[in-house]
Amino acid sequence: EDKVVQSPLSLVVHEGDTVTLNCSYEVTNFRSLLWYKQEKKAPTFLFMLTSSGIEKKSGRLSSILDKKELSSILNITATQTGDSAIYLCAVYQGGSEKLVFGKGTKLTVNP
Amino acid sequence: DTGVSQNPRHKITKRGQNVTFRCDPISEHNRLYWYRQTLGQGPEFLTYFQNEAQLEKSRLLSDRFSAERPKGSFSTLEIQRTEQGDSAMYLCASSSFGQNTEAFFGQGTRLTVV
């Protein structure tokens, strides 16, 4: 069965720390991997990764895909309290338009 | 606001009642998705439309659930004879056509079955 596993499930850090969130997947015919941030209700899109080894970057956030290891990481540098959220990883597989989500990593950034 | 819009935002219903939710996608998006999310879990796929055609349905979608997108614009999700296990956040998302396109989510409808 297709699955996406995220680790850790929760993380508490202090402002200014750097964090690395992990996502591993087992899906048939992998197409792409997406990261979302969910603060209260709607997951908001962060990155889409399709090619291995190419880093996507947006401000203090960056992400990279490793197709050999079937995994991705999301890095957040100089964390701020506003980064507190659940970070979701999801995967598209070939032949389907459904996203398979992991359970998410709950990040809490304390001042 | 040109994002995905869902109504109502919250719904409390008694067990056994029928409920209907509405989703208005981003106007130029021809793909529309429904997901369900419970506490501590990621969203689970329910169904997907391309224009008015329902192209995929999850095995999770029992016969009490039905979704429509009659004119290829807004969509409705109806749950008949609600059960307490249906309590969840129901999320709608939309995307444009293409092999790898990001899905944009609405704020969700929180359903509580009492």
Side-chain angles (χ1 to χ4, degrees):
Chain A
E1 185 176 326
D2 298 325
K3 62 179 180 179
V4 175
V5 178
Q6 293 187 245
S7 63
L9 291 181
S10 66
L11 189 57
V12 180
V13 300
H14 291 290
E15 257 188 328
D17 288 350
T18 292
V19 298
T20 297
L21 310 182
N22 300 286
C23 175
S24 64
Y25 58 90
E26 289 180 28
V27 298
T28 51
N29 300 321
F30 170 87
R31 256 169 52 197
S32 58
L33 185 145
L34 290 79
W35 285 96
Y36 285 86
K37 177 182 182 182
Q38 187 172 29
E39 291 180 83
K40 288 183 181 176
K41 298 286 175 68
T44 53
F45 172 77
L46 295 175
F47 298 113
M48 175 182 281
L49 305 160
T50 55
S51 300
S52 203
I54 298 174
E55 185 183 53
K56 292 277 184 91
K57 196 170 171 67
S58 176
R60 296 176 294 104
L61 277 67
S62 64
S63 184
I64 196 162
L65 177 67
D66 185 339
K67 284 186 177 180
K68 189 175 178 184
E69 296 296 326
L70 307 183
S71 66
S72 174
I73 60 171
L74 175 68
N75 282 319
I76 308 175
T77 59
T79 51
Q80 302 171 357
T81 55
D83 295 327
S84 295
I86 296 172
Y87 290 84
L88 294 164
C89 174
V91 172
Y92 274 124
Q93 55 186 136
S96 172
E97 293 306 319
K98 75 174 183 183
L99 281 168
V100 179
F101 280 87
K103 290 186 177 183
T105 293
K106 183 177 180 180
L107 174 66
T108 303
V109 182
N110 290 325
Chain B
D1 187 346
T2 56
V4 178
S5 175
Q6 291 188 245
N7 288 289
R9 296 289 297 276
H10 303 275
K11 178 73 177 177
I12 300 174
T13 191
K14 290 184 178 179
R15 191 171 46 187
Q17 297 294 306
N18 299 343
V19 294
T20 299
F21 310 140
R22 177 180 170 122
C23 172
D24 288 90
I26 293 171
S27 58
E28 61 268 28
H29 286 178
N30 55 11
R31 288 178 171 169
L32 186 148
Y33 314 80
W34 286 98
Y35 287 82
R36 178 172 66 188
Q37 187 176 25
T38 54
L39 198 62
Q41 303 294 319
E44 290 178 303
F45 173 80
L46 293 178
T47 190
Y48 149 66
F49 290 85
Q50 184 161 301
N51 299 315
E52 66 276 6
Q54 189 174 20
L55 297 184
E56 276 187 80
K57 285 200 297 187
S58 167
R59 287 169 295 178
L60 294 174
L61 211 65
S62 79
D63 55 7
R64 295 185 299 106
F65 287 69
S66 62
E68 293 184 340
R69 195 182 182 198
K71 296 182 181 178
S73 56
F74 73 92
S75 175
T76 57
L77 177 69
E78 181 182 19
I79 310 174
Q80 296 182 325
R81 306 181 302 281
T82 51
E83 301 172 356
Q84 286 191 317
D86 296 331
S87 295
M89 175 73 80
Y90 289 83
L91 293 164
C92 176
S94 69
S95 72
S96 53
F97 184 77
Q99 187 171 14
N100 289 308
T101 57
E102 59 267 31
F104 294 89
F105 283 82
Q107 294 290 319
T109 294
R110 167 75 65 189
L111 173 66
T112 302
V113 182
V114 297

